[in-house]
Structure formats: structure tokens, C-alpha cells
Amino acid sequence: MTSVSIDPVIFKAYDIRGVVDRTLTVEAVRAIGAALGTLAGERGVAEIAVGRDGRLSGPRLRDALIEGIRSAGVGVVDVGVVPTPLLYYATHELGMQSGVEITGSHNPPEYNGLKMVLAGEALFGEGVQALRRRIAEGRLRAAAVPGALRQAEVVASYLERVTGDVKLARPMKIAIDCGNGVAGAVAPQLYRALGCEVVELFCEVDGRFPNHHPDPAHPENLADLQRALRDTDAEIGLAFDGDGDRLGVVTKDGQIIWPDRQLMLFARGVLAEQPGAQIIYDVKCSRHVGREIRRCGGQPLMWRTGHSLIKAKLKETGAPLAGEMSGHIFFKHRWYGFDDGLYAGARLLELASRQADPSAVLNALPNSASTPELQLATAEGENFALVERLQRDGRFAAAREIVTIDGVRAEYDDGFGLARASNTTPVVVLRFEADDDAALARIQAEFRRELLRLKPDARLPF
């Protein structure tokens, strides 16, 4: 195959993503498939699993991807319309350790993208850029005979695997909101198979997302779930993002249990079985995560934000559990180490079912005054330059420690402030937490002073 001109903007830090027919074209996906197939051949991979979410552009992008992979002489196993975690599961269950999910995750309907695993390693960062260069230089194998194509059904196997692992102490009634994302193809069956009575919200897979955006990281997308918990006798609510790899949790009284607090509950359960184990969490998480891990006898490890980066660290350290504020939870304990919102929901129900009032237990998890994720918009690339200057020249005299593994996280005796460059959009991500509102305001004031000193025209979101 000759070189193909592709908009480089689609090659992101963790995956490939763009607007269909504008930046992410059928021709681009075919070329990416050829590059993946070529790389797979070089690594001795004979087959690649391919799945897709429910977006309207999915079928034609799937056809292009499969054609590209096969053109390099590598076989394809089409596992159909499945959440991203089931694509990851298929790579284990079917034994090829390689797969691609065609998904736009939680992006608007006009987006789509590719999440990729090759020979057991998530492709991200330099691996994604290497694919781009390979395509630009035309270093693509054209096999004399295309790779074989076969279909495989993995949903039944996945349900059997999860229900064989997770056992609820009692039946529960739950509400689930899939936001018309692809999680709806599996989640209702899964939780019923675990013994739950399920109130379904928007579980019909519809790539137009007609009800609300499938992203539980934003409170407005949980309003329907909160209403269902108020109006029915469901005990707890679970919500999923567009491709099912992130989990949102709402209690009976409408409280949102953000993922860093979910991680505290999961850490308690895992550390009860694996005392002294290391638990990984990202720089956006609450200070309470590290404290709770220590309290339960574990070793906390703070790491960089990004599901691919966390997954790689999990593999490197052998930790049984990891999580990040965005909602990606990774169980290596009793599972495979990939991020799976459906499985995380099952593990949460396993713990919750042991309680007469699970909402009370969830609401009692350690908490502090905090902000949601705030975003300072910048020009393309300026976010990285600004954060580098903040790391080098920032003055945080009152902080007892400055963590710079991913931006600047200034730790104080009574809170923390964070500024990091997003790897997916041209923004500086900011988050603050403190013991009380006065401390929160003081920490924000220190960050405001330093950011405005380095960028006087910054329009700060706090």
C-alpha cells in the first residue's frame, strides 16, 4: 500500500479519535488497519479481534479496519457490537492477546475512534505515533493472500465468567443507566444473571444518544438515574459511559460516589484478601485514597492520569487494583487487569449486598470539600508549555510537597491543588480539595496567583 495522507490530529495520547468523514475518514481507518496488521505480523500475532460500539459510523469503519488488517496477511475475529471491556476480554478468551475496539467512547455522536491492544500491550503514546509514521512512510505489508475472517460470540462467555466469579450476598434491586451506549447490549443481562432486579434506563443501543450524553463524569448526565432512585425502590444506581469501560455510582438519596471514593471501597475489599498489596491511583484522586489504602494495610502508589498509562503501571508493578478519577477501574485481583465498568459495577454490588443499607456505607466513605475537574482553555500545545513553566518556576511556599509526575500537585497539611496538561484537549486540568472551604479558597488563591503570574491573560475557571 502506498502512503496515505491522514490528519495527524486523530493520533491521540491514549488512542485514535476524530470526527468521522472530517478527520477520521474511511481511508484513514483502512490505512491504520494495514499498519496494525503489518506491526502484528512483525510481532508474530496471527489474529486480531475487532469489536465496535453502537455509533452509526461503526459498520463502515469496521469494514475498512478489517480490510486493512487482512491486507497485511493477518486474520481478524469479528466479535460484533460489544463494550470495550468485552473486546479486551475477547483477546484473553480467544487467546490472541490483540484487539481493536471501534469506539468514540463518551464523545459526541459525530466522533469515532480506535482503542488498540497488540500482543498484550495497550498501544498509546509513542506506539500510536509510530503507527502514524509507518503510514506516512508507506511501510505497510501487502500480503499475496489476505488474512482470514471469522466471527466469534463472546457475550455468553463473558457473562459466565463474571457470574462465576462475583457472588452477591443477597438479591438487590438496582437502577442502571447506559445512556444509549453499547453497555446496554450487556449490562441488563449481566446484573440480572447476578440475581438483581433491574430498572433499565436508556439501555437501547442508539448511536445518536437521544436522551443524554453517555458520560457519568458529569453530574447532569446522572439526573435521570437520581430520579429513578427517588421514584422506585431500587437501592443503588449504576451508570456507564459510551463504551462501557467507566462506572458511575449514585446512592439511594441521590449522592454521587465519584470514582476515587469507589476506589476506597474496592481497596478495602482487595486488601482484606491481599494484605500489604500495592494499589495505584492517579494524581486527580482525593488525598483520602492514599490514607484509606494505608489504613487498610496497603501501599498507595500515585501515578499519571490516563487509562493506558495506569494499565501499563499495573502490569509493571503487579498491583491487584488501580483506578483513576475519570472512572476507569482496573481489577487484576480475580480479573484481567483491564478497565471494565461492567465488572467494576458487579464487584461494587458484591460488596454492597453484604450491607443492609449499602447507600449508608457508600455515603460514609471519606470525603472532603473539593472541586470537580476544572479546565483552563489554552491554545493548542500551550497547556504543556504552561504546566512545564509551573513545574519549573511555580512558587508554592506553603506546600509541604510538590509532586511533578503529571503536572504540579501541591500537597498541603489541609488539602491539595493540581494543575496538569490534558493529553486529549488543549486545556490545563485543575482540581482542588481541602479539609474545609476556607482552606480550599486559600489553596485556589495560591494557584490563581501563580498561574496569572505565568499567564496574565488566563481566564481561570475558579
Side-chain angles (χ1 to χ4, degrees):
M1 183 183 285
T2 56
S3 64
V4 178
S5 178
I6 298 178
D7 192 331
V9 75
I10 67 173
F11 295 90
K12 306 293 187 181
Y14 313 127
D15 49 36
I16 290 168
R17 190 169 62 255
V19 178
V20 177
D21 294 331
R22 193 183 309 164
T23 56
L24 187 75
T25 62
V26 167
E27 293 73 24
V29 172
R30 187 179 296 112
I32 292 164
L36 280 168
T38 303
L39 184 58
E42 292 172 1
R43 295 190 181 180
V45 173
E47 284 187 310
I48 295 176
V50 171
R52 67 178 178 91
D53 70 13
R55 287 167 189 267
L56 305 184
S57 58
R60 56 197 174 99
L61 296 186
R62 172 204 57 203
D63 292 347
L65 178 69
I66 289 174
E67 182 185 337
I69 294 170
R70 295 180 67 206
S71 73
V74 171
V76 171
V77 182
D78 183 356
V79 297
V81 178
V82 293
T84 295
L86 270 79
L87 180 279
Y88 296 151
Y89 171 77
T91 69
H92 292 274
E93 175 67 13
L94 302 176
M96 74 275 292
Q97 304 298 314
S98 302
V100 184
E101 176 81 355
I102 301 165
T103 177
S105 187
H106 59 279
N107 287 96
E110 64 271 22
Y111 282 79
N112 216 324
L114 308 172
K115 292 183 177 180
M116 303 163 288
V117 179
L118 201 60
E121 303 279 352
L123 272 187
F124 67 96
E126 174 53 28
V128 172
Q129 294 306 318
L131 278 184
R132 177 186 61 78
R133 290 193 299 271
R134 182 183 287 268
I135 295 166
E137 295 163 9
R139 292 186 288 112
L140 306 172
R141 182 179 180 227
V145 178
L149 173 63
R150 63 186 177 99
Q151 275 75 40
E153 200 286 324
V154 295
V155 174
S157 169
Y158 176 87
L159 295 175
E160 185 179 349
R161 174 69 176 82
V162 178
T163 55
D165 172 69
V166 176
K167 303 297 179 186
L168 271 58
R170 61 179 176 84
M172 295 184 71
K173 184 171 182 177
I174 66 170
I176 62 171
D177 185 342
C178 294
N180 299 112
V182 74
V186 178
Q189 300 174 66
L190 173 64
Y191 297 117
R192 288 192 176 103
L194 287 170
C196 295
E197 185 179 346
V198 179
V199 177
E200 294 185 30
L201 299 180
F202 318 128
C203 292
E204 311 77 23
V205 179
D206 185 339
R208 298 167 300 171
F209 309 128
N211 293 288
H212 65 73
H213 206 53
D215 186 357
H218 296 282
E220 63 270 20
N221 297 326
L222 297 169
D224 292 305
L225 188 58
Q226 290 167 322
R227 193 174 303 114
L229 287 162
R230 186 187 66 215
D231 296 344
T232 71
D233 57 349
E235 295 180 71
I236 199 168
L238 307 179
F240 305 94
D241 71 332
D243 67 331
D245 59 8
R246 292 192 290 124
L247 173 68
V249 178
V250 176
T251 61
K252 180 65 177 172
D253 59 346
Q255 298 299 309
I256 299 168
I257 305 300
W258 295 113
D260 54 352
R261 296 177 76 204
Q262 297 170 29
L263 186 59
M264 296 179 216
L265 184 71
F266 293 137
R268 288 177 187 173
V270 169
L271 289 168
E273 295 188 35
Q274 288 190 222
Q278 193 170 58
I279 310 290
I280 301 168
Y281 61 103
D282 81 316
V283 295
K284 291 193 291 187
C285 285
S286 167
R287 298 167 299 147
H288 294 295
V289 174
R291 292 173 179 174
E292 188 67 10
I293 292 166
R294 284 193 195 91
R295 189 188 70 78
C296 295
Q299 303 173 50
L301 175 62
M302 187 188 297
W303 195 240
R304 297 164 62 194
T305 291
H307 65 90
S308 297
L309 300 171
I310 295 279
K311 208 176 299 182
K313 196 66 175 175
L314 188 83
K315 189 167 186 175
E316 174 195 323
T317 60
L321 176 68
E324 57 176 352
M325 189 66 196
S326 63
H328 294 275
I329 304 289
F330 310 78
F331 281 95
K332 187 68 177 170
H333 177 253
R334 292 165 42 191
W335 199 236
Y336 300 94
F338 56 74
D339 38 340
D340 186 342
L342 302 172
Y343 180 75
R347 291 287 290 260
L348 184 119
L349 294 176
E350 183 178 61
L351 295 168
S353 68
R354 299 171 187 170
Q355 310 296 328
D357 185 355
S359 288
V361 175
L362 290 167
N363 286 334
L365 290 165
N367 204 13
S368 288
S370 66
T371 68
E373 188 174 303
L374 307 171
Q375 297 187 341
L376 165 61
T378 69
E380 191 71 46
E382 185 189 8
N383 54 335
F384 291 100
L386 178 57
V387 169
E388 285 170 10
R389 289 181 64 200
L390 196 66
Q391 287 178 323
R392 188 178 63 244
D393 303 327
R395 303 168 188 162
F396 299 94
R400 59 174 173 77
E401 183 184 7
I402 304 293
V403 178
T404 57
I405 54 171
D406 187 358
V408 171
R409 177 166 164 146
E411 298 276 0
Y412 303 83
D413 290 334
D414 53 1
F416 81 88
L418 171 72
R420 62 173 293 273
S422 168
N423 282 308
T424 54
T425 52
V427 301
V428 174
V429 174
L430 300 147
R431 186 158 192 258
F432 303 93
E433 178 186 89
D435 290 345
D436 54 45
D437 290 339
L440 193 70
R442 190 196 77 244
I443 295 168
Q444 286 181 308
E446 190 156 54
F447 270 77
R448 184 182 300 113
R449 182 195 70 222
E450 290 307 291
L451 287 164
L452 290 174
R453 184 172 63 83
L454 298 173
K455 182 176 168 58
D457 62 341
R459 300 184 66 175
L460 297 176
F462 64 95

